[in-house]
Amino acid sequence: RRSEYSPSCTGTEFECLVEGIFEDTGAIVTRTPVTGDQGVDLLVHSQGRLIAVQCKRSSSPIGNSAVQEASAGALFHGADIAWVVSDAPFTKSARQLAGRIGVQLVDFRLIPEELTK
């Protein structure tokens, strides 16, 4: 079920990898339906909070739309916070928007460290 990371992995394989990383930290993870997810791929229960996670596997920097979708999805699902988890860097504009609206931008390799912040 769990995938290993490869720059050529599919979006679904990347979601499985991210799900496994969260589960390794003791979090309880629920996948959202493929359609109607409102921009959220995973709902993660960790340390008494609900995190709405959008996974982005990309070979180019992640822009504003991912931040906007994650924020809206977090509101839709009643999450405490929204995360965009990616294997790619984020554009300056995405970092600015995320900082302003409270979306956390996370390199998938740093998930365990980010959960303890």
Side-chain angles (χ1 to χ4, degrees), residues 55-76:
C55 301
K56 285 290 184 187
R57 216 284 325 133
S58 180
S59 55
S60 56
I62 307 301
N64 280 8
S65 63
V67 176
Q68 294 164 344
E69 292 167 11
S71 179
L75 286 171
F76 179 82

PDB file of all heavy atoms in Angstrom, residues 55-76:
ATOM      1  N   CYS A  55      -1.930  17.106  -1.177  1.00  0.00           N
ATOM      2  CA  CYS A  55      -0.646  16.557  -1.620  1.00  0.00           C
ATOM      3  C   CYS A  55      -0.379  17.028  -3.046  1.00  0.00           C
ATOM      4  O   CYS A  55      -1.249  16.909  -3.902  1.00  0.00           O
ATOM      5  CB  CYS A  55      -0.681  15.031  -1.589  1.00  0.00           C
ATOM      6  SG  CYS A  55      -1.030  14.351   0.040  1.00  0.00           S
ATOM      7  N   LYS A  56       0.823  17.529  -3.288  1.00  0.00           N
ATOM      8  CA  LYS A  56       1.199  18.001  -4.617  1.00  0.00           C
ATOM      9  C   LYS A  56       2.542  17.424  -5.023  1.00  0.00           C
ATOM     10  O   LYS A  56       3.577  17.801  -4.511  1.00  0.00           O
ATOM     11  CB  LYS A  56       1.296  19.539  -4.629  1.00  0.00           C
ATOM     12  CG  LYS A  56      -0.028  20.240  -4.619  1.00  0.00           C
ATOM     13  CD  LYS A  56      -0.713  20.039  -5.935  1.00  0.00           C
ATOM     14  CE  LYS A  56      -2.007  20.807  -6.014  1.00  0.00           C
ATOM     15  NZ  LYS A  56      -2.740  20.481  -7.231  1.00  0.00           N
ATOM     16  N   ARG A  57       2.507  16.468  -5.958  1.00  0.00           N
ATOM     17  CA  ARG A  57       3.715  15.903  -6.546  1.00  0.00           C
ATOM     18  C   ARG A  57       3.940  16.655  -7.846  1.00  0.00           C
ATOM     19  O   ARG A  57       3.088  16.654  -8.724  1.00  0.00           O
ATOM     20  CB  ARG A  57       3.488  14.418  -6.831  1.00  0.00           C
ATOM     21  CG  ARG A  57       4.643  13.498  -6.627  1.00  0.00           C
ATOM     22  CD  ARG A  57       5.771  13.404  -7.579  1.00  0.00           C
ATOM     23  NE  ARG A  57       5.555  13.560  -8.997  1.00  0.00           N
ATOM     24  CZ  ARG A  57       6.332  14.349  -9.751  1.00  0.00           C
ATOM     25  NH1 ARG A  57       7.297  15.056  -9.253  1.00  0.00           N
ATOM     26  NH2 ARG A  57       6.109  14.425 -11.033  1.00  0.00           N
ATOM     27  N   SER A  58       5.059  17.349  -7.956  1.00  0.00           N
ATOM     28  CA  SER A  58       5.262  18.181  -9.134  1.00  0.00           C
ATOM     29  C   SER A  58       6.735  18.333  -9.453  1.00  0.00           C
ATOM     30  O   SER A  58       7.583  18.291  -8.570  1.00  0.00           O
ATOM     31  CB  SER A  58       4.648  19.566  -8.889  1.00  0.00           C
ATOM     32  OG  SER A  58       4.823  20.394 -10.010  1.00  0.00           O
ATOM     33  N   SER A  59       7.023  18.562 -10.724  1.00  0.00           N
ATOM     34  CA  SER A  59       8.402  18.830 -11.126  1.00  0.00           C
ATOM     35  C   SER A  59       8.644  20.330 -11.240  1.00  0.00           C
ATOM     36  O   SER A  59       9.753  20.762 -11.515  1.00  0.00           O
ATOM     37  CB  SER A  59       8.705  18.136 -12.455  1.00  0.00           C
ATOM     38  OG  SER A  59       7.760  18.535 -13.418  1.00  0.00           O
ATOM     39  N   SER A  60       7.601  21.126 -11.012  1.00  0.00           N
ATOM     40  CA  SER A  60       7.763  22.581 -11.045  1.00  0.00           C
ATOM     41  C   SER A  60       7.206  23.181  -9.751  1.00  0.00           C
ATOM     42  O   SER A  60       6.434  22.532  -9.043  1.00  0.00           O
ATOM     43  CB  SER A  60       7.057  23.165 -12.266  1.00  0.00           C
ATOM     44  OG  SER A  60       5.705  22.790 -12.275  1.00  0.00           O
ATOM     45  N   PRO A  61       7.598  24.401  -9.419  1.00  0.00           N
ATOM     46  CA  PRO A  61       7.162  25.007  -8.160  1.00  0.00           C
ATOM     47  C   PRO A  61       5.636  25.080  -8.026  1.00  0.00           C
ATOM     48  O   PRO A  61       4.917  25.251  -9.011  1.00  0.00           O
ATOM     49  CB  PRO A  61       7.782  26.403  -8.202  1.00  0.00           C
ATOM     50  CG  PRO A  61       8.986  26.250  -9.079  1.00  0.00           C
ATOM     51  CD  PRO A  61       8.562  25.256 -10.126  1.00  0.00           C
ATOM     52  N   ILE A  62       5.187  24.961  -6.788  1.00  0.00           N
ATOM     53  CA  ILE A  62       3.757  24.958  -6.465  1.00  0.00           C
ATOM     54  C   ILE A  62       3.302  26.400  -6.253  1.00  0.00           C
ATOM     55  O   ILE A  62       3.928  27.148  -5.500  1.00  0.00           O
ATOM     56  CB  ILE A  62       3.499  24.127  -5.182  1.00  0.00           C
ATOM     57  CG1 ILE A  62       4.103  22.728  -5.306  1.00  0.00           C
ATOM     58  CG2 ILE A  62       2.018  24.075  -4.860  1.00  0.00           C
ATOM     59  CD1 ILE A  62       3.599  21.902  -6.444  1.00  0.00           C
ATOM     60  N   GLY A  63       2.196  26.757  -6.899  1.00  0.00           N
ATOM     61  CA  GLY A  63       1.711  28.131  -6.864  1.00  0.00           C
ATOM     62  C   GLY A  63       0.509  28.363  -5.966  1.00  0.00           C
ATOM     63  O   GLY A  63       0.120  27.514  -5.152  1.00  0.00           O
ATOM     64  N   ASN A  64      -0.087  29.529  -6.136  1.00  0.00           N
ATOM     65  CA  ASN A  64      -1.193  29.984  -5.294  1.00  0.00           C
ATOM     66  C   ASN A  64      -2.408  29.074  -5.286  1.00  0.00           C
ATOM     67  O   ASN A  64      -3.082  28.966  -4.267  1.00  0.00           O
ATOM     68  CB  ASN A  64      -1.664  31.372  -5.749  1.00  0.00           C
ATOM     69  CG  ASN A  64      -0.803  32.476  -5.240  1.00  0.00           C
ATOM     70  OD1 ASN A  64       0.253  32.240  -4.664  1.00  0.00           O
ATOM     71  ND2 ASN A  64      -1.236  33.699  -5.448  1.00  0.00           N
ATOM     72  N   SER A  65      -2.723  28.456  -6.419  1.00  0.00           N
ATOM     73  CA  SER A  65      -3.964  27.678  -6.475  1.00  0.00           C
ATOM     74  C   SER A  65      -3.978  26.565  -5.436  1.00  0.00           C
ATOM     75  O   SER A  65      -5.012  26.300  -4.813  1.00  0.00           O
ATOM     76  CB  SER A  65      -4.221  27.116  -7.874  1.00  0.00           C
ATOM     77  OG  SER A  65      -3.196  26.217  -8.235  1.00  0.00           O
ATOM     78  N   ALA A  66      -2.839  25.933  -5.196  1.00  0.00           N
ATOM     79  CA  ALA A  66      -2.784  24.866  -4.189  1.00  0.00           C
ATOM     80  C   ALA A  66      -3.074  25.424  -2.798  1.00  0.00           C
ATOM     81  O   ALA A  66      -3.775  24.801  -1.993  1.00  0.00           O
ATOM     82  CB  ALA A  66      -1.420  24.186  -4.210  1.00  0.00           C
ATOM     83  N   VAL A  67      -2.558  26.598  -2.515  1.00  0.00           N
ATOM     84  CA  VAL A  67      -2.786  27.246  -1.215  1.00  0.00           C
ATOM     85  C   VAL A  67      -4.264  27.590  -1.060  1.00  0.00           C
ATOM     86  O   VAL A  67      -4.880  27.326  -0.016  1.00  0.00           O
ATOM     87  CB  VAL A  67      -1.906  28.511  -1.084  1.00  0.00           C
ATOM     88  CG1 VAL A  67      -2.205  29.249   0.215  1.00  0.00           C
ATOM     89  CG2 VAL A  67      -0.427  28.144  -1.174  1.00  0.00           C
ATOM     90  N   GLN A  68      -4.848  28.165  -2.094  1.00  0.00           N
ATOM     91  CA  GLN A  68      -6.267  28.541  -2.062  1.00  0.00           C
ATOM     92  C   GLN A  68      -7.161  27.320  -1.893  1.00  0.00           C
ATOM     93  O   GLN A  68      -8.103  27.332  -1.087  1.00  0.00           O
ATOM     94  CB  GLN A  68      -6.635  29.293  -3.341  1.00  0.00           C
ATOM     95  CG  GLN A  68      -5.940  30.629  -3.458  1.00  0.00           C
ATOM     96  CD  GLN A  68      -5.977  31.199  -4.863  1.00  0.00           C
ATOM     97  OE1 GLN A  68      -6.266  30.497  -5.832  1.00  0.00           O
ATOM     98  NE2 GLN A  68      -5.656  32.472  -4.986  1.00  0.00           N
ATOM     99  N   GLU A  69      -6.862  26.253  -2.629  1.00  0.00           N
ATOM    100  CA  GLU A  69      -7.662  25.034  -2.541  1.00  0.00           C
ATOM    101  C   GLU A  69      -7.562  24.396  -1.161  1.00  0.00           C
ATOM    102  O   GLU A  69      -8.563  23.946  -0.598  1.00  0.00           O
ATOM    103  CB  GLU A  69      -7.234  24.031  -3.609  1.00  0.00           C
ATOM    104  CG  GLU A  69      -7.569  24.468  -5.019  1.00  0.00           C
ATOM    105  CD  GLU A  69      -6.878  23.624  -6.075  1.00  0.00           C
ATOM    106  OE1 GLU A  69      -6.309  22.567  -5.743  1.00  0.00           O
ATOM    107  OE2 GLU A  69      -6.900  24.040  -7.246  1.00  0.00           O
ATOM    108  N   ALA A  70      -6.356  24.357  -0.605  1.00  0.00           N
ATOM    109  CA  ALA A  70      -6.175  23.765   0.721  1.00  0.00           C
ATOM    110  C   ALA A  70      -6.923  24.568   1.784  1.00  0.00           C
ATOM    111  O   ALA A  70      -7.554  23.996   2.677  1.00  0.00           O
ATOM    112  CB  ALA A  70      -4.689  23.675   1.057  1.00  0.00           C
ATOM    113  N   SER A  71      -6.862  25.888   1.672  1.00  0.00           N
ATOM    114  CA  SER A  71      -7.560  26.746   2.631  1.00  0.00           C
ATOM    115  C   SER A  71      -9.066  26.529   2.566  1.00  0.00           C
ATOM    116  O   SER A  71      -9.724  26.349   3.591  1.00  0.00           O
ATOM    117  CB  SER A  71      -7.215  28.211   2.352  1.00  0.00           C
ATOM    118  OG  SER A  71      -7.904  29.055   3.250  1.00  0.00           O
ATOM    119  N   ALA A  72      -9.608  26.531   1.367  1.00  0.00           N
ATOM    120  CA  ALA A  72     -11.043  26.308   1.196  1.00  0.00           C
ATOM    121  C   ALA A  72     -11.440  24.911   1.660  1.00  0.00           C
ATOM    122  O   ALA A  72     -12.464  24.735   2.328  1.00  0.00           O
ATOM    123  CB  ALA A  72     -11.435  26.505  -0.274  1.00  0.00           C
ATOM    124  N   GLY A  73     -10.616  23.922   1.340  1.00  0.00           N
ATOM    125  CA  GLY A  73     -10.905  22.549   1.752  1.00  0.00           C
ATOM    126  C   GLY A  73     -10.891  22.391   3.261  1.00  0.00           C
ATOM    127  O   GLY A  73     -11.705  21.661   3.830  1.00  0.00           O
ATOM    128  N   ALA A  74      -9.973  23.073   3.930  1.00  0.00           N
ATOM    129  CA  ALA A  74      -9.906  23.014   5.393  1.00  0.00           C
ATOM    130  C   ALA A  74     -11.183  23.581   6.001  1.00  0.00           C
ATOM    131  O   ALA A  74     -11.743  23.004   6.946  1.00  0.00           O
ATOM    132  CB  ALA A  74      -8.687  23.770   5.903  1.00  0.00           C
ATOM    133  N   LEU A  75     -11.648  24.691   5.453  1.00  0.00           N
ATOM    134  CA  LEU A  75     -12.913  25.266   5.936  1.00  0.00           C
ATOM    135  C   LEU A  75     -14.071  24.304   5.699  1.00  0.00           C
ATOM    136  O   LEU A  75     -14.896  24.087   6.581  1.00  0.00           O
ATOM    137  CB  LEU A  75     -13.194  26.596   5.225  1.00  0.00           C
ATOM    138  CG  LEU A  75     -12.353  27.779   5.662  1.00  0.00           C
ATOM    139  CD1 LEU A  75     -12.573  28.964   4.724  1.00  0.00           C
ATOM    140  CD2 LEU A  75     -12.675  28.166   7.095  1.00  0.00           C
ATOM    141  N   PHE A  76     -14.113  23.725   4.512  1.00  0.00           N
ATOM    142  CA  PHE A  76     -15.193  22.796   4.154  1.00  0.00           C
ATOM    143  C   PHE A  76     -15.237  21.598   5.100  1.00  0.00           C
ATOM    144  O   PHE A  76     -16.298  21.160   5.522  1.00  0.00           O
ATOM    145  CB  PHE A  76     -15.005  22.319   2.709  1.00  0.00           C
ATOM    146  CG  PHE A  76     -16.056  21.342   2.256  1.00  0.00           C
ATOM    147  CD1 PHE A  76     -17.286  21.791   1.804  1.00  0.00           C
ATOM    148  CD2 PHE A  76     -15.814  19.977   2.280  1.00  0.00           C
ATOM    149  CE1 PHE A  76     -18.267  20.896   1.390  1.00  0.00           C
ATOM    150  CE2 PHE A  76     -16.787  19.072   1.871  1.00  0.00           C
ATOM    151  CZ  PHE A  76     -18.010  19.538   1.425  1.00  0.00           C
TER     152      PHE A  76
END
